[in-house]
């Protein structure tokens, strides 16, 4: 029995099938943890979404920024639409309502019951402990599981207005920081003020205050191993008690399965499914 953390699929199903075969994934005994961004940009977004859903109890997934983008597109929110989107087959599918209904209720953070392992899409801000992060993730999931999810996605999702956190933040602003942190963050300051513009590798970004979220010396969630995706320019990285799993499947890189038990990385090479220059998207 093993737990594999699988990097951003972004609509690339064939590499996933190959990877699961390579690790001899056994759905009766093993767990696949998907770091989110299951859909968009790649050619098989609909197939990826159905595949992960059909894995049932053998799979867990957290929501990434592209997944929220799908939910916005489903609700007809135009402002996030991009030419490079590959979401139409999902929106036009006979089972679209059922898929979206399932997908929107997925968590932002997953914690293992036995080990100090946590998975999120983008990261956990340095000022949050793991137990605080779990509470905030649950707050947003509660909204997404309620009829309020449509109002949140339509009118309050993303936007770079809410960049700073305070525990007394309330209402939509509070949820917006929470989703921005879990699903979009790369760089932030020591208090979790988010920086949205930079996507590059830390080697190419020097700033007196903003560091990669995981690199802050006083980060309060260092007592867990954190698995995340989202940051394709970072590539495979095991340092700071965090494990980066977005190895650029979409861009002709690799799809990664990181085995949490053995700490071994498995990967398959991928054809390039998209323009090699990453398009801009939250
Ligand atoms: Mn992402």
């Amino acid at each position: 029995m093993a737990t594999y953390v699988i990097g951003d699929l972004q609509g690339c199903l064939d590499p996933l099938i190959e990877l699961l075969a390579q690790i001899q994934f056994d759905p009766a005994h093993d767990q696949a943890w998907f770091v989110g961004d299951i859909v968009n940009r790649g050619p098989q977004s609909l197939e990826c979404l159905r595949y992960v859903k059909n894995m049932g109890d053998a799979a867990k997934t957290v929501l990434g920024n592209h997944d929220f983008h799908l939910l916005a597109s489903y609700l007809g929110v135009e402002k996030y639409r991009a030419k490079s989107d590959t979401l139409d087959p999902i929106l036009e599918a006979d089972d679209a309502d059922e898929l979206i209904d399932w997908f929107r209720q997925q968590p932002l953070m997953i914690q293992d019951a036995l080990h100090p392992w946590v998975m999120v899409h983008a990261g956990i801000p340095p000022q949050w402990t793991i137990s605080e992060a779990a509470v905030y993730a649950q707050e947003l999931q509660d909204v997404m599981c309620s009829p309020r999810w449509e109002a949140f996605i339509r009118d309050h999702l993303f936007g770079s207005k809410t960049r700073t956190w305070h525990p007394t933040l309330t209402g939509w602003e509070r949820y917006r920081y929470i989703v921005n942190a879990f699903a979009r963050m790369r760089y932030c300051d020591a208090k979790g003020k988010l920086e949205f513009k930079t996507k590059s590798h830390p080697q190419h970004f020097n700033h007196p205050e903003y560091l990669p979220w995981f690199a802050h010396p006083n980060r309060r969630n260092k007592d867990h191993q954190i698995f995340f995706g989202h940051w394709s320019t970072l590539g495979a990285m095991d340092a700071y008690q965090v494990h980066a799993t977005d190895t650029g499947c979409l861009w002709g890189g690799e799809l990664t399965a990181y085995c949490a038990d053995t700490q071994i990385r498995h990967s398959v090479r991928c054809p390039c499914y998209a323009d090699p220059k990453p398009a801009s998207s939250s």
Side-chain angles (χ1 to χ4, degrees):
M1 173 176 171
T3 298
Y4 296 95
V5 182
I6 299 182
D8 309 44
L9 295 181
Q10 295 223 244
C12 304
L13 183 68
D14 294 345
L16 174 63
I17 306 287
E18 196 185 326
L19 185 60
L20 293 176
Q22 185 188 304
I23 60 178
Q24 299 183 301
F25 185 81
D26 176 359
H29 296 104
D30 298 328
Q31 281 277 305
W33 285 17
F34 292 92
V35 296
D37 280 359
I38 283 173
V39 299
N40 211 8
R41 301 286 163 75
Q44 293 169 294
S45 286
L46 171 62
E47 291 79 2
C48 282
L49 189 54
R50 282 184 182 148
Y51 192 93
V52 172
K53 180 172 181 281
N54 289 339
M55 285 179 78
D57 291 341
K60 289 185 163 72
T61 185
V62 289
L63 293 173
N65 54 305
H66 282 282
D67 306 321
F68 279 102
H69 180 90
L70 165 64
L71 300 176
S73 299
Y74 174 78
L75 293 176
V77 182
E78 286 296 321
K79 66 180 163 184
Y80 301 116
R81 285 230 174 219
K83 264 204 290 202
S84 47
D85 284 354
T86 57
L87 302 170
D88 284 346
I90 301 177
L91 306 177
E92 292 159 7
D94 290 342
D95 53 349
D97 293 345
E98 189 190 327
L99 289 169
I100 295 289
D101 202 47
W102 168 78
F103 204 30
R104 72 174 161 88
Q105 303 189 53
Q106 299 309 306
L108 291 165
M109 174 172 141
I110 281 170
Q111 247 184 298
D112 190 76
L114 299 175
H115 306 88
W117 300 340
V118 165
M119 176 176 71
V120 292
H121 179 62
I124 301 178
Q127 79 280 16
W128 289 353
T129 63
I130 292 294
S131 38
E132 286 166 348
V135 169
Y136 304 143
Q138 188 63 55
E139 283 183 32
L140 190 68
Q141 193 183 1
D142 288 347
V143 172
M144 294 302 293
C145 291
S146 81
R148 299 169 77 204
W149 83 275
E150 291 197 16
F152 175 65
I153 297 289
R154 270 207 185 96
D155 303 322
H156 305 284
L157 180 63
F158 299 148
S160 301
K161 279 184 283 187
T162 312
R163 295 172 57 208
T164 54
W165 171 256
H166 194 275
T168 59
L169 265 186
T170 55
W172 298 125
E173 267 207 300
R174 181 178 178 89
Y175 301 134
R176 195 190 290 124
Y177 180 91
I178 293 171
V179 75
N180 278 338
F182 282 118
R184 286 178 76 196
M185 175 175 66
R186 291 186 183 87
Y187 294 93
C188 65
D189 77 5
K191 292 181 177 171
K193 182 176 182 187
L194 305 170
E195 198 277 344
F196 291 123
K197 290 191 194 117
T198 312
K199 294 182 168 191
S200 54
H201 190 281
Q203 226 177 332
H204 308 295
F205 182 73
N206 273 313
H207 192 281
E209 290 162 60
Y210 293 122
L211 293 177
W213 63 267
F214 49 77
H216 286 284
N218 296 322
R219 185 163 60 87
R220 295 177 70 212
N221 42 59
K222 278 193 271 193
D223 52 345
H224 282 60
Q225 303 292 313
I226 301 177
F227 311 116
F228 69 107
H230 184 59
W231 198 337
S232 62
T233 58
L234 192 61
M237 189 200 74
D238 302 294
Y240 303 97
Q241 323 275 43
V242 305
H243 307 276
T245 61
D246 184 356
T247 44
C249 165
L250 181 68
W251 313 107
E254 296 176 336
L255 180 65
T256 288
Y258 177 87
C259 182
D261 305 78
T262 62
Q263 302 175 11
I264 291 172
R265 284 174 176 271
H266 306 265
S267 59
V268 292
R269 295 290 318 171
C270 304
C272 190
Y273 294 101
D275 187 311
K277 187 170 161 243
S280 69
S281 153
S282 49

